[in-house]
Amino acid sequence: MHGYGPTPQQQTTSRPSPATLTAVRVILVTVTVLSCGLLGWVAMLRLAIVTRRPRDWVLLVVVMVLNAALFAFIMSTPDDPDEMSDASVLLMLLWIVALLAGVITYYLYVEIRHYSSLRSLGSSPPYTAPAHPAPLPYQQHPAQQQLHQHQQQQHQQPQPNPYTVQTPPPTPTPAPQRLDQVRAELDELSDYLRKESRDGEGR
């Protein structure tokens, strides 16, 4: 039978403090805004590392491609703003705004939701295996208890040694008074016989 061992404890992942998370989010959002979305892939990279989901890695690649395309579009425009057409300016502004809004919104939403789910899982009480009652001591039947006690008493009684020679009990010696009585009776009997023999001769 297998014994019940201690229940394995779930390993809890170490989470940074809320202040640290807030500081990291502020820094990444600020970098994304100041770079006009060109460094938005940094926030997406952190998100992909934190969540480890394939979808976030795919979105990271998409953001990097959009950033590279935006950078190439900006480099292709003339240096003089007056020479740029209104369509080019409008396209570049829409591109930057859409990239900023999409990266910042998605990054903050997914990361906050991810850490909230981890916090809710960490606050739930861990699963504990049901406690098994301790087995009761074996109780013997009254007849078995009496037999056990009788066997113990037999073991406690001293057993005779089979190798010792048993000496016969000493025979009692007749008392001196008994000897005197027998002698007196024998004397009387002999006197009686003498008298009988004398009487027979006198006749």
Side-chain angles (χ1 to χ4, degrees), residues 36 70 73-74 84 86-101:
C36 296
L70 177 60
F73 178 77
I74 293 174
M84 293 179 59
D86 296 337
S88 298
V89 174
L90 182 61
L91 177 61
M92 186 174 61
L93 289 177
L94 290 176
W95 198 331
I96 294 174
V97 171
L99 191 60
L100 287 173

Side-chain angles (χ1 to χ4, degrees), residues 77-136:
T77 56
D79 295 336
D80 190 0
D82 296 336
E83 296 179 359
M84 293 179 59
S85 61
D86 296 337
S88 298
V89 174
L90 182 61
L91 177 61
M92 186 174 61
L93 289 177
L94 290 176
W95 198 331
I96 294 174
V97 171
L99 191 60
L100 287 173
V103 170
I104 293 173
T105 303
Y106 183 79
Y107 164 71
L108 293 177
Y109 172 75
V110 175
E111 184 173 293
I112 292 173
R113 184 178 179 182
H114 174 72
Y115 281 107
S116 298
S117 62
L118 290 180
R119 191 178 299 107
S120 61
L121 290 176
S123 61
S124 60
Y127 173 76
T128 56
H132 296 277
L136 296 175

Side-chain angles (χ1 to χ4, degrees), residues 6-201:
T7 57
Q9 297 180 355
Q10 297 180 352
Q11 295 182 355
T12 57
T13 56
S14 59
R15 297 188 300 272
S17 62
T20 304
L21 291 176
T22 303
V24 171
R25 290 165 189 166
V26 170
I27 292 173
L28 292 178
V29 170
T30 304
V31 169
T32 303
V33 172
L34 294 179
S35 64
C36 296
L38 294 176
L39 295 179
W41 61 270
V42 178
M44 296 302 296
L45 177 61
R46 168 179 165 76
L47 185 63
I49 294 174
V50 169
T51 60
R52 299 180 182 179
R53 292 187 301 182
R55 182 181 64 181
D56 294 332
W57 289 102
V58 172
L59 290 177
L60 171 62
V61 175
V62 172
V63 170
M64 292 178 69
V65 171
L66 291 176
N67 287 337
L70 177 60
F71 181 76
F73 178 77
I74 293 174
M75 294 301 294
S76 64
T77 56
D79 295 336
D80 190 0
D82 296 336
E83 296 179 359
M84 293 179 59
S85 61
D86 296 337
S88 298
V89 174
L90 182 61
L91 177 61
M92 186 174 61
L93 289 177
L94 290 176
W95 198 331
I96 294 174
V97 171
L99 191 60
L100 287 173
V103 170
I104 293 173
T105 303
Y106 183 79
Y107 164 71
L108 293 177
Y109 172 75
V110 175
E111 184 173 293
I112 292 173
R113 184 178 179 182
H114 174 72
Y115 281 107
S116 298
S117 62
L118 290 180
R119 191 178 299 107
S120 61
L121 290 176
S123 61
S124 60
Y127 173 76
T128 56
H132 296 277
L136 296 175
Y138 175 72
Q139 297 181 355
Q140 294 182 350
H141 194 268
Q144 295 180 354
Q145 291 181 354
Q146 293 179 0
L147 178 61
H148 185 65
Q149 294 177 357
H150 181 67
Q151 292 177 353
Q152 288 182 350
Q153 292 177 359
Q154 288 182 351
H155 286 297
Q156 292 176 358
Q157 292 179 356
Q159 299 294 333
N161 191 357
Y163 297 101
T164 58
V165 179
Q166 296 181 359
T167 57
T171 56
T173 56
Q177 295 179 358
R178 181 66 176 169
L179 292 175
D180 295 340
Q181 184 178 1
V182 172
R183 289 176 182 176
E185 291 178 356
L186 290 175
D187 293 338
E188 291 179 357
L189 180 61
S190 61
D191 293 339
Y192 178 76
L193 292 175
R194 289 175 184 174
K195 290 179 180 181
E196 289 291 333
S197 62
R198 289 177 183 177
D199 293 339
E201 291 177 358

